[in-house]
């Protein structure tokens, strides 16, 4: 049985396309690594995602980010680490979350 996680659009499309390579969570959840996981498109759309993120998703063929409530891909989780302010800044190109979104306790 494969485990998985749900990600709102447009983040889901960016992860499946390989543009976003780090998924940010509020807690470390999967202790056994590496782990192959199903990527599920959540039912909700993240309307707080900045317009450039939606434009980036469109560039990769996700023009509407319409796929919701379905498995959209598979990924291998290879590492879990706690973010620091420096890591948050340095890894922006991989996680794509806005600088203001950072807070303690993100993994």
């Amino acid at each position: 049985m494969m485990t998985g996680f749900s990600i709102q659009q447009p983040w889901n499309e960016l992860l499946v396309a390989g543009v976003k390579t780090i998924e940010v969570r509020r807690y470390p959840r999967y202790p056994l690594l590496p782990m192959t996981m199903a990527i599920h498109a959540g039912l909700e759309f993240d309307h707080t995602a900045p317009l450039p993120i939606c434009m980036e998703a469109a560039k990769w063929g996700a023009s509407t980010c319409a796929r919701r409530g379905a498995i959209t891909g598979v990924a291998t989780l290879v590492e879990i680490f706690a973010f620091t302010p420096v890591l948050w800044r340095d890894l922006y190109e991989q996680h794509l979350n806005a600088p203001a979104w950072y807070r303690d306790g993100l993994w």
Side-chain angles (χ1 to χ4, degrees):
M1 182 162 104
M2 182 179 294
T3 189
F5 56 100
S6 190
I7 303 173
Q8 293 179 334
Q9 297 290 18
W11 310 108
N12 180 285
E13 293 292 340
L14 292 169
L15 190 67
V16 171
V19 176
K20 177 180 170 67
T21 59
I22 296 176
E23 173 58 11
V24 178
R25 295 286 162 157
R26 292 190 179 102
Y27 50 87
R29 186 170 169 178
Y30 305 101
L32 303 173
L33 301 176
M35 178 181 286
T36 300
M37 304 178 71
I39 302 171
H40 175 265
L43 295 175
E44 300 294 323
F45 186 90
D46 183 0
H47 294 286
T48 67
L51 184 58
I53 295 299
C54 295
M55 291 169 59
E56 185 69 23
K59 210 165 63 172
W60 289 91
S63 58
T64 64
C65 293
R67 298 188 300 171
R68 307 222 183 103
I71 302 298
T72 56
V74 175
T76 301
L77 178 62
V78 295
E79 184 179 9
I80 297 174
F81 58 88
F83 277 102
T84 64
V86 171
L87 277 176
W88 188 258
R89 182 195 67 224
D90 291 351
L91 297 175
Y92 170 77
E93 294 293 323
Q94 286 82 38
H95 64 73
L96 300 174
N97 295 93
W101 204 72
Y102 176 80
R103 61 185 150 289
D104 289 335
L106 294 179
W107 297 83

